[in-house]
Structure formats: C-alpha cells, structure tokens
Amino acid sequence: MASKAVLVNLDAMIKRADFATEVEDETTFDTINSISVRDLNDFTAILRKPDFQRETNHWSPNQVVSMLESYVTGDLIPAVILWKSSYIFVIDGGHRLSVLKAWIEDDYGDGPLSIKYFGSEISKEQRNIAEKTRRLINERIGSWAHFKQRLSDEDISSAERNKITNILTRGLTIQWVKGNADKAESSFFNINMQGTPLDEVEELLLKNRHKPTSISARAVIRAGKGHRYWSAFSKEYSDKIEQEAYKLHSILFDPDLNTPVKTLDLPLGGARGVRVAIQLLIDFILIANRDNQGQPKTLDGQDDDELGSKTVESLKNAIDLADRITGNGNGSLGLHPAVYFYGPTGRHTGPMFLGTAFLIAQKMKNNDKEFFKKFTSIRSQLENILVKDKELISMIIQKNSNRTRDIKYKEFLDDLIKVLLLGNEVSESDLINLAGLQGKLVAGNVNSSGKKFSDDQKSKVFINAALYSSIRCSICDGYLDSAKSISYDHITRVRDGGVGTGENCQLTHPYCNQSVKN
C-alpha cells in the first residue's frame, strides 16, 4: 500500500449517482463485451459510480503508470464489472476506467474535469501528485495526445502505425452483474473486500452512508465541493450543508500543512488530504454531537438523516466545538495548535487533538463554566508541561492501543488539570503515574546516525525556537495563536475611562478578555 500522502485523486473521472434508482425497461446491454479507450468518453456519459462508493484515490503514481503500461503493451487487464439500471454502474474496475479516462483528458486530479468537480478546491498536495503522475506517464509511456498526433503523421512506419492503432482501439473486457439493486450492492461489497479491499474507515462510511456524521464528514473533507452526497435533500438543507462544511473545513484545515514546519500557523486538524483526515473528521463530529450520556458512541449508533436537518445540526455542533477551541469569538480559548495538537517532531497527533476536543465538548455539554475559568487559571503551567515534556507525552500516547488513545489522552489531560489546580508541581514521574503507566515507560530520545537533518528534526528545532519567543496572553500567560485567535483588550476598561490607544491595549485570548477579566 502506498503512503496516503502520495495517492492520485481520479474521483472526477466518473460521476456518481443514486445506486438504488431503477427503471422498468428490461433492455439488456450484455451484448457489449468490451469498450475501447477511443469510445470511453461516450461511454462515461452513461457510466456512474454508486453514490456510496469510496473516492477513486487509492492508486499511487506508479500504479497508474503500471496500469497504462499494461494497456499499451497488450498485457492482461482484469475485466471491469458493471450493472445496468437508469445508468450503467461500475461494480468493480473504477480505478482502471478512471486511469484511462484521466489519460485521455490529461487530468490526474488537477485538470479541467477535476477543477470543476472539486469547485477549484484542489489542495497543493493533490496538484503536486497530479504533476508527478503526468511527468512519469509522459516519460515512460507518452500522453494520449502524443499517440493521436503520431497517428496523423505521414512519416511513421506501417509497423508503428499498426501499434498505435492497436493501442487506440484496444478493448477493455466487460462482465455484467444480473439482478436488482440489492444483488448489485451485495456484489459490490463482496468484490471490494478482495483485491484492493475496503479499509475499516471506508467500510464504515459506506455502510453508514445515510448517517448525519457520514454525510457531514464527506462534506467537510472536500469543503462542500466534489460529489454532493447530500443532493437528495432540499435546496435549503443542501445549501446549508455546503456552507457549514466549507466553514468547518477552513477552521480545521487552513492553512496547508507543509514539512518541514517553518511556521507556527498550523492547521488544527493536520493535513487536509482525504485519506488522512476522514477518520479524524468522523471522530471529531461524533464528539461534538454526543449527549450528556456520551451517546452516540459510534457512527452506527445514529439514526439515518432523511431530510438533511440532522446533518445541518451535526455540522453546527461541530463548528460550535471548533469555535470554542480556536477563532476570535468571545468564548474561544484560542488553543495554540503547536502546543496542544502537534507532537515533538511537528507531526499532527490525532489523539491529542481528539482527546482535547473530547474534554472541551464534555464540559460544554455539561455547561460547566467553572471548568473553563479554572483551566485558564493554570493554563500557563499546563502549557509549559505540554511543551517541555512533549517527548514523554508522545510516548505515553503510544503506549495505549490505537482504539483507546483518544479517551486515554482526554482522561490524562483532565487529571493533569486537576493536579495543577491543587497547586502541585508535576514531574515526569507524576505524568507517568497519571497515565497509569508506572514501570511501563522508559523515556529517552532516539538519536539518528544520519549526517543530514531530517524533516522531523528541522520541524522540532523550529517549533521549539518559535515557541520560545512566541507571544503570550497578557491575562493568563498562555501561548497566543496570533494567526487564528487573538483579542485586543483595554488594560483600563472603557467603563473605567480607558481609551483606545496603543498604551492601553494588550493582546489576550478571546475567552480571557471576555469571560475571565469580566
């Protein structure tokens, strides 16, 4: 499996449609046994992916090139499997067909089709991968336009003309699924658990595709662009979903995360790549929508959203939580991402982000206003520990199983705050004890034998140096995220005769200004 950071997004090549839509016309298409690349544009006009199918972004540039090399050299390519309804649906072979379509269009996630499909919201990462893919194809195979141009040249040999003609007219074998929508959907899941199987997140999303959290996560990951999984809802709800999804996407994923880290203006949610962020989004949205009893705990614990209102509410709750974490609203804590959500080497740490969000969401749900005042009173001490002991805290997180890291970190952070509120000093051994890992943890840095600085080491040095000289809140002495969350506070209040001069202005967290001081 290729790294999630280097996968080609071909999702715009074949549109999606409602899989369950059927027509009474029993006309069969099983006389069509193959389709050539030359006819692919006409064919894709009636070709669709099921609305629940995962994004077509699971192949690396080398896999895309390998598929095209097999095509142009005449090597065996497995048949694509289709099912006829109001459209012709791809049950298996979506990546193969999308690669061929991308070759024709010269669009590997950054061309006209993709720009239109994603509403111009194409990340820098996606553009870079598309360009790398195009460069590899042009070097090792040649573009579709190149082959067509060569065919029109008068000076090519008959052997080369014959070869190019075979490439342009080669057929891709088609097999057909017989039966109704239930049979076709069952075939889809059976086939896609083989070959390149669905991972846990994909299977979870597909099987719970009508839940508000699933729809919300898919809307947010593409900033309300791409395929409209919410298109069955009324225009009122559909428009609202897109607006709220765009807003939450911006809060969590702006600006782009680059490595090595050279700025403290870091995105709260880490990298915005679809494969990287979707699980984090599912978990964050679930956390924001749990009740006082902590329900629903899982995605499948929700009811389906029939109208769109539950998805809108889901997104609004998630935005409320995100606004408490960051932003310039009066209740914003303005948590600095580099302090709270990034590990010692500048990598975003999901359990730190989700565990912190979980704790804040719980206090919001319980309307525990005193917690936030108490938190602010020890905030500076807490943040000094989170920065000074990042290596140790990272190791503490790693010692827990993947499935429990979020909740364990939430409990660890909550307990740490309680200890600080008692006025106690906290040592490294105290941190280990709070995590319940006595005798199970040995701290220490891993030394590299390489002569060059890795991106991780560069990020680590930059973050440490930048935080050392970072601006602090004049009220609580905590770190200020000046790019996202800052308040300009009158030192002498207006009601006490204070004026709007620079000498009477101090920089604070929004919450400190509005809730602590007042």
Side-chain angles (χ1 to χ4, degrees):
M1 174 67 71
S3 166
K4 292 180 179 180
V6 290
L7 297 171
V8 188
N9 196 317
L10 303 176
D11 206 42
M13 297 302 106
I14 302 173
K15 296 178 181 178
R16 283 185 172 81
D18 184 354
F19 191 63
T21 303
E22 297 189 59
V23 292
E24 295 181 1
D25 182 12
E26 294 297 328
T27 304
T28 62
F29 280 70
D30 44 354
T31 53
I32 301 175
N33 297 316
S34 66
I35 180 71
S36 71
V37 176
R38 174 168 281 178
D39 299 326
L40 195 56
N41 273 338
D42 291 335
F43 194 64
T44 50
I46 56 172
L47 193 66
R48 295 292 185 272
K49 292 178 291 194
D51 59 344
F52 55 79
Q53 190 177 37
R54 62 186 174 186
E55 286 203 349
T56 313
N57 63 351
H58 282 245
W59 282 12
S60 68
N62 283 329
Q63 286 174 296
V64 171
V65 172
S66 179
M67 160 66 196
L68 288 175
E69 283 179 331
S70 295
Y71 185 85
V72 301
T73 58
D75 288 348
L76 176 66
I77 297 175
V80 297
I81 301 177
L82 308 177
W83 174 69
K84 174 192 169 292
S85 178
S86 53
Y87 291 106
I88 294 176
F89 286 93
V90 183
I91 302 301
D92 185 53
H95 272 84
R96 278 162 267 159
L97 289 170
S98 295
V99 166
L100 293 173
K101 174 77 170 175
W103 190 40
I104 295 171
E105 301 290 342
D106 192 34
D107 184 347
Y108 303 100
D110 63 345
L113 288 179
S114 294
I115 290 171
K116 181 179 179 181
Y117 183 75
F118 295 120
S120 301
E121 294 289 334
I122 298 178
S123 68
K124 179 181 177 183
E125 174 188 272
Q126 184 171 321
R127 292 182 186 277
N128 289 342
I129 295 166
E131 185 53 43
K132 176 182 178 181
T133 305
R134 182 178 294 106
R135 186 170 62 253
L136 286 173
I137 288 170
N138 290 342
E139 289 172 357
R140 291 167 53 177
I141 299 166
S143 67
W144 169 259
H146 163 78
F147 281 106
K148 288 186 69 178
Q149 177 61 45
R150 287 296 292 154
L151 193 62
S152 65
D153 289 347
E154 297 293 335
D155 59 345
I156 66 170
S157 66
S158 59
E160 185 178 359
R161 183 179 298 279
N162 186 55
K163 177 184 175 182
I164 294 174
T165 300
N166 287 338
I167 290 171
L168 298 184
T169 59
R170 181 185 176 186
L172 212 61
T173 304
I174 295 174
Q175 295 179 5
W176 295 88
V177 170
K178 304 285 188 179
N180 59 17
D182 289 340
K183 172 66 186 302
E185 183 171 339
S186 174
S187 298
F188 171 84
F189 279 105
N190 289 336
I191 291 167
N192 282 276
M193 293 309 292
Q194 306 166 16
T196 304
L198 302 172
D199 62 35
E200 289 184 8
V201 179
E202 293 164 338
E203 186 176 2
L204 184 70
L205 274 175
L206 298 187
K207 291 186 175 179
N208 295 280
R209 59 189 179 274
H210 301 302
K211 310 294 186 187
T213 293
S214 293
I215 301 169
S216 296
R218 283 177 145 170
V220 174
I221 200 69
R222 284 294 177 195
K225 308 297 182 181
H227 177 69
R228 302 174 79 247
Y229 294 96
W230 49 92
S231 60
F233 301 145
S234 69
K235 187 176 188 303
E236 176 190 358
Y237 285 131
S238 292
D239 289 349
K240 195 65 177 174
I241 288 168
E242 290 173 20
Q243 293 164 11
E244 300 297 322
Y246 182 86
K247 181 178 181 181
L248 185 55
H249 180 95
S250 296
I251 295 172
L252 295 181
F253 299 116
D254 283 342
D256 279 325
L257 178 62
N258 296 308
T259 54
V261 172
K262 297 179 181 178
T263 175
L264 287 184
D265 186 12
L266 300 168
L268 270 68
R272 72 179 75 209
V274 175
R275 298 286 306 284
V276 178
I278 194 69
Q279 180 67 69
L280 180 135
L281 270 176
I282 292 170
D283 292 338
F284 181 79
I285 294 168
L286 270 177
I287 286 169
N289 284 277
R290 287 183 179 134
D291 59 23
N292 289 327
Q293 285 71 48
Q295 298 297 332
K297 292 187 182 298
T298 59
L299 194 58
D300 53 11
Q302 292 184 312
D303 294 329
D304 287 353
D305 187 2
E306 303 292 341
L307 301 175
S309 57
K310 293 178 182 177
T311 301
V312 172
E313 181 183 6
S314 170
L315 287 166
K316 285 184 173 180
N317 288 338
I319 289 171
D320 286 345
L321 175 55
D323 282 344
R324 178 57 68 99
I325 293 171
T326 192
N328 293 312
N330 289 346
S332 172
L333 298 171
L335 301 186
H336 200 303
V339 175
Y340 286 89
F341 311 135
Y342 284 76
T345 58
R347 293 177 182 267
H348 187 266
T349 303
M352 292 185 74
F353 174 72
L354 293 170
T356 305
F358 194 172
L359 179 61
I360 292 172
Q362 190 178 69
K363 303 303 180 182
M364 289 174 63
K365 189 65 67 176
N366 294 334
N367 198 27
D368 188 351
K369 295 179 181 179
E370 287 302 309
F371 168 82
F372 295 105
K373 292 181 181 178
K374 292 176 180 177
F375 166 80
T376 301
S377 71
I378 53 86
R379 177 168 178 165
S380 177
Q381 298 161 266
L382 172 66
E383 293 183 355
N384 288 341
I385 292 171
L386 293 178
V387 171
K388 177 176 68 73
D389 295 308
K390 261 194 190 300
E391 297 273 3
L392 177 59
I393 292 170
S394 178
M395 293 183 69
I396 286 172
I397 292 171
Q398 294 299 319
K399 283 294 180 181
N400 293 294
S401 68
N402 283 331
R403 294 181 183 277
T404 65
R405 285 175 184 170
D406 303 349
I407 182 66
K408 289 294 185 182
Y409 184 76
K410 174 252 180 188
E411 293 169 351
F412 169 79
L413 186 61
D414 198 10
D415 289 342
L416 177 55
I417 291 170
K418 289 174 182 175
V419 170
L420 291 172
L421 286 169
L422 293 173
N424 297 332
E425 295 290 328
V426 178
S427 66
E428 288 189 353
S429 60
D430 291 329
L431 294 176
I432 294 170
N433 291 338
L434 281 174
L437 296 171
Q438 302 93 322
K440 299 179 181 178
L441 199 65
V442 178
N445 292 320
V446 177
N447 294 319
S448 171
S449 59
K451 294 182 179 180
K452 292 185 177 180
F453 296 120
S454 67
D455 283 351
D456 282 352
Q457 289 300 321
K458 291 176 183 177
S459 298
K460 178 179 179 179
V461 171
F462 174 85
I463 289 174
N464 287 340
L467 284 176
Y468 181 78
S469 58
S470 183
I471 304 172
R472 299 258 192 162
C473 173
S474 298
I475 293 177
C476 76
D477 198 38
Y479 288 95
L480 278 176
D481 182 7
S482 57
K484 301 184 186 68
S485 187
I486 199 165
S487 183
Y488 299 89
D489 175 45
H490 287 80
I491 298 172
T492 301
R493 303 179 195 192
V494 174
R495 67 184 184 220
D496 295 329
V499 294
T501 62
E503 291 76 18
N504 194 42
C505 181
Q506 61 183 1
L507 303 178
T508 71
H509 299 113
Y511 178 82
C512 292
N513 185 358
Q514 298 297 323
S515 300
V516 174
K517 184 172 179 179
N518 294 332

